[in-house]
Amino acid sequence: MAFLGSLCLILVFTKVAGHLCNRIGVPAVIGELLVGIILGPAILGWIQPDAFIHYFAEIGVVILMFIAGLESDLALLRKYWKPALSVALLGIIFPMVFGFGMGELFGMAFQSSIFLGVLFSATSVSISVQVLKDLNKVDSKEGATILGAAVVDDIVVVILLGVLVSLFNTGGGDSQPLPFMLMKKVIFFIVIFVLARWVVPMLMKISSKMLTIEAETAMALIICLAFSYFADFMGMGSIIGAFFAGIAISQTPYKHKIEKKIEPIGYAVFIPVFFVSIGLNMDFSGFGEQWLFILLLTVVAVLTKQFGGAIGARVTGFNWKSAAVIGAGMVSRGEMALIIAKLGLESNLLTEEFYSSIIVVIIATTVIAPFILKYTITKQDESLKLN
């Protein structure tokens, strides 16, 4: 029953860290990430990134993105789809070009350099969503653009990754033809639309008439998990499915009731474990030999997403303050990049020599991102007050 001790440690330390962070005006998620680094293999070694942590973390990020979907304003998402597309595409092009350049500069193989560019084109908004929630910005125009861009980013990067693995995979892993991958994406969106439009409202209505405890909450979780599983099965990533499940339920009369019931489930247990799990992957062993690579790649990873996203927002009509917020919201690489890095290692597109250093950079961008996002939002709020 050792996992009970691990869970107890995580909950105690994350709540204390969150309290201290809120007292000093730092996003609570930073404290949770640092708890993972301190308690994990990087420093104290009290908690290991085992199967228990992995599964709880997966549930945590699914619930987090489900809540983000619930809180999203669908009208805003529709209104800002053009900026979202622009932000996503420029936020992919910049990291791809400079990531490839970094690989070539440090003597990586040609296919590894391309893979490095694709890897750092990925965005994970789960961290940004938490900061946006803390600052009540999820349903703002910036929040809608960030969430919309994240969906586009995920689709494009998955397609690029599929092409790359198909062309260069030497690890014997599975690869699929590009037309087949594209067809799966089309089928995914058609099915999600049909379910969200007709099936989800019907299921929620049925659950409201059931004579059992918390039937509506249970049905909402069933829909969330089913959408997540289907998205993962179709190669889209479980968090995309969870996000659309939240949007689907947000269009029903049960939105606010489900939101109040789901948040305690997520934030009491699962979501803190997810943030801690990211910190657990931190490993300082590669710092000594590859410190320059780690430092430069971290700077490139942060700046390319920040400026790529900001320029994408600016050319579609946002002012520079709003564009800076949107760019900052795209900086975090999180679990998306960790998954892609692992795939690259298994497919021999990434060597052991650089793997640990790249993991450090991914974690670094994930830790840095909330600070940048909080700073840009604060500056934006200050300018609005002055005006």
Side-chain angles (χ1 to χ4, degrees), residues 37 75 207 222 354:
I37 294 170
S207 70
I222 289 167
F354 289 100

Side-chain angles (χ1 to χ4, degrees), residues 217-267:
T217 306
M219 182 60 75
L221 282 172
I222 289 167
I223 292 167
C224 169
L225 297 175
F227 272 47
S228 298
Y229 176 78
F230 178 61
D232 187 66
F233 180 76
M234 299 300 283
M236 286 295 297
S238 59
I239 61 174
I240 299 298
F243 178 67
F244 281 119
I247 287 178
I249 293 177
S250 75
Q251 302 308 298
T252 71
Y254 308 94
K255 170 181 176 174
H256 297 295
K257 184 175 182 179
I258 297 304
E259 200 175 319
K260 288 178 182 176
K261 298 287 186 178
I262 295 293
E263 284 196 349
I265 296 172
Y267 285 101

Side-chain angles (χ1 to χ4, degrees), residues 19 25 31 53 73 104 107 109 134-135 152 154 175 194 197 206 215 222 249 285-286 311 317 335 357 362:
H19 170 74
I53 297 292
D73 185 331
E104 291 294 288
D134 290 344
L135 300 173
V152 177
D154 187 76
S175 60
V194 171
R197 183 71 179 83
I206 291 171
I222 289 167
I249 293 177
S285 61
I311 293 170
E335 76 286 347
S357 298
I362 293 169

